[in-house]
Amino acid sequence: MPSDSPESLPLLVLDATERVPLLPELDGRNGSNRAAGNHALITADNDLDALHAWLARFVDTKTTFDNYRKEAERLLLWAHVELHKPVSSLTHEDLLAYQRFLGDPQPASRWIMRKGRKVARSHPNWRPFAGPLAPSSQRQAILILNAMFSWLVHAGYLAGNPLSLSRQRARKAKPRITRYLEEELWNEVKRTIEQLPKETKREREHYFRLRWLFSLMYVCGLRISEVNGNTMGGFFCRRDKDGQERWWLEVTGKGDKTRIIPATNELMVELARYRREMGLAPFPLPGESTPLLLPIGGKHRVLSRGGLHAIVKQVFERTALRLRQHGEANAFLANRVEQASAHWLRHTAGSHMANQDIDLRHVRDNLGHESISTTSHYLHASDDERHRETEQRHKLRW
């Protein structure tokens, strides 16, 4: 085993511009988990090249690339130094040991940076960890590595994913995430709204209100309680690091947690249309008390949660009726949308974002599944990237 001296930790940097080769016996060419007899989809014949191939998918997204490289590098170093194994030989038991290691990286002199000392990754005193990882950070690390191993299996480089034998979170969550509208059904719901009459002022107000409500819930993934409990004063505009003005919506949601959600250009167009129809300026002022959704007639009072649920449910029922009128072939779709509730829109938002390959951490932050730290040095840059990715990939397409 290597000694605990600082020099004992090899610098195996996973970077496109700086590469230090592994020891020949640890490069993974003969890893025990290498796929045999399959036609590989990547040219890599060693672990470092395979990990580079995986990371290359994220090179245009700096925050994602940096985080994914960090987790891959930590695992590569740990396997090399502690187990004297290539990544392509790691077993399920090895990965269980690694999960425990993340909560207490020992020996500290080898793995943890000295407090108050931040040095470049090329410095002899650089270490992979600032300290033991919190449980949430441990889970995030394993999620990233699980995605990495799955991709390497799919690419024909590995025979199997050693993390796939761990407790299956997705199976437990399956009953919840099946309650969403597939793309086809979401388009049918939008079609129902688009076909509403628009002749009278009241009809136009009803149409633009529904269009705004469904846009808001789909783009932002809001809960009904968040539509009901927040105001238009939560919209604000700020300039990103590239000098571009971007709109955000600050909401306070479940557990009194506050988060900010990208308000895409499409969403702001819908907001301006709705506000003009209600006799308001196109964009809200900071601190404006106007509810996110107004009653028909323009009274500035908050709709009840029950009232909001009923509005959404009525659209789903109208969609089911319209589908049935077009023949028995649509019976399955009609029955499914008839079962939908307002919360299905939240699951629809999350599912469609994930289907468009938006970084799962961005989906998490958009939906507010975990609180967002405001003290991180990289938080602002991370927010900007989350906005860009949501803007580019999560479209209303009215």
Side-chain angles (χ1 to χ4, degrees):
M1 287 292 293
S3 71
D4 291 351
S5 66
E7 291 75 23
S8 68
L9 188 63
L11 185 63
L12 305 172
V13 180
L14 281 170
D15 189 284
T17 61
E18 184 179 7
R19 293 181 53 183
V20 178
L22 291 165
L23 296 174
E25 65 269 25
L26 298 181
D27 67 6
R29 293 173 194 272
N30 300 308
S32 59
N33 189 27
R34 286 293 301 273
N38 292 336
H39 180 67
L41 303 178
I42 56 176
T43 59
D45 65 353
N46 62 74
D47 290 352
L48 204 56
D49 284 347
L51 296 183
H52 278 131
W54 174 65
L55 287 168
R57 301 160 63 227
F58 313 106
V59 71
D60 293 329
T61 311
K62 186 179 187 307
T63 304
T64 302
F65 178 84
D66 288 347
N67 277 288
Y68 285 19
R69 179 186 62 183
K70 174 181 66 180
E71 299 305 341
E73 183 178 53
R74 283 171 170 173
L75 180 66
L76 186 71
L77 286 167
W78 178 82
H80 180 90
V81 175
E82 299 297 337
L83 300 188
H84 206 65
K85 273 187 173 185
V87 168
S88 55
S89 289
L90 293 177
T91 65
H92 174 64
E93 291 83 359
D94 293 334
L95 270 297
L96 290 178
Y98 182 67
Q99 291 180 55
R100 292 190 292 271
F101 167 80
L102 292 175
D104 186 21
Q106 293 295 329
S109 62
R110 178 184 297 159
W111 294 105
I112 299 178
M113 200 90 71
R114 296 176 186 174
K115 289 186 178 179
R117 297 284 304 276
K118 187 173 182 179
V119 297
R121 293 165 72 247
S122 58
H123 194 281
N125 290 333
W126 175 83
R127 296 292 181 272
F129 295 90
L133 297 190
S136 59
S137 297
Q138 295 174 39
R139 288 192 296 272
Q140 185 61 33
I142 296 303
L143 283 172
I144 291 171
L145 293 176
N146 183 54
M148 180 190 79
F149 279 119
S150 294
W151 187 87
L152 292 174
V153 171
H154 184 70
Y157 182 79
L158 293 182
N161 177 359
L163 279 171
S164 66
L165 299 176
S166 299
R167 181 164 54 95
Q168 296 295 317
R169 294 177 178 272
R171 289 181 183 174
K172 293 181 70 176
K174 189 175 180 180
R176 293 186 289 108
I177 61 171
T178 56
R179 294 181 292 133
Y180 73 98
L181 303 175
E182 296 84 354
E183 196 78 37
E184 182 181 7
L185 261 185
W186 168 236
N187 288 333
E188 291 294 346
V189 168
K190 289 188 292 182
R191 194 168 291 120
T192 296
I193 296 172
E194 277 298 283
Q195 292 179 3
L196 289 172
K198 311 172 188 65
E199 299 300 321
T200 68
K201 183 181 186 329
R202 188 175 183 87
E203 286 173 347
R204 286 195 304 274
E205 187 177 335
H206 183 60
Y207 162 72
F208 280 112
R209 185 176 75 163
L210 283 178
R211 186 168 165 134
W212 163 241
L213 174 60
F214 277 71
S215 297
L216 177 66
M217 295 187 71
Y218 178 77
V219 172
C220 297
L222 296 186
R223 303 174 177 92
I224 280 288
S225 60
E226 292 169 343
V227 177
N228 165 263
N230 291 276
T231 69
M232 291 190 183
F235 283 98
F236 67 93
C237 190
R238 77 180 184 195
R239 186 170 296 169
D240 69 12
K241 63 181 180 180
D242 297 323
Q244 185 169 347
E245 298 287 345
R246 297 190 182 276
W247 281 92
W248 297 83
L249 174 60
E250 180 179 279
V251 299
T252 300
K254 189 176 181 180
D256 289 327
K257 293 178 180 178
T258 298
R259 70 185 188 278
I260 60 171
I261 307 167
T264 64
N265 289 336
E266 283 186 314
L267 184 68
M268 296 310 293
V269 168
E270 296 300 326
L271 173 60
R273 285 174 177 167
Y274 177 57
R275 285 176 62 88
R276 285 193 187 100
E277 191 64 29
M278 303 303 293
L280 300 169
F283 301 111
L285 297 172
E288 186 177 315
S289 61
T290 306
L292 284 173
L293 199 76
L294 294 164
I296 297 296
K299 293 181 180 178
H300 285 213
R301 63 177 177 81
V302 178
L303 285 164
S304 69
R305 290 175 63 178
L308 287 169
H309 274 289
I311 291 169
V312 174
K313 190 67 179 176
Q314 187 179 52
V315 173
F316 291 151
E317 289 171 350
R318 284 188 178 186
T319 303
L321 177 62
R322 185 174 59 77
L323 286 169
R324 289 194 178 100
Q325 289 172 345
H326 285 78
E328 286 298 318
N330 294 312
F332 174 79
L333 291 176
N335 291 338
R336 182 160 173 78
V337 75
E338 198 169 44
Q339 296 170 14
S341 66
H343 204 67
W344 281 44
L345 285 176
R346 178 170 162 83
H347 288 315
T348 299
S351 297
H352 288 195
M353 281 187 252
N355 288 345
Q356 292 299 319
D357 292 329
I358 293 179
D359 190 309
L360 289 180
R361 292 166 303 151
H362 295 170
V363 179
R364 175 201 65 193
D365 291 346
N366 285 352
L367 298 181
H369 287 155
E370 294 183 15
S371 61
I372 303 171
S373 171
T374 58
T375 57
S376 169
H377 177 71
Y378 296 102
L379 179 62
H380 191 86
S382 176
D383 279 347
D384 290 342
E385 179 55 41
R386 180 160 58 98
H387 199 301
R388 277 192 292 272
E389 195 164 20
T390 305
E391 179 75 58
Q392 291 170 2
R393 303 188 182 187
H394 189 46
K395 298 291 187 180
L396 278 164
R397 298 189 176 91
W398 281 101

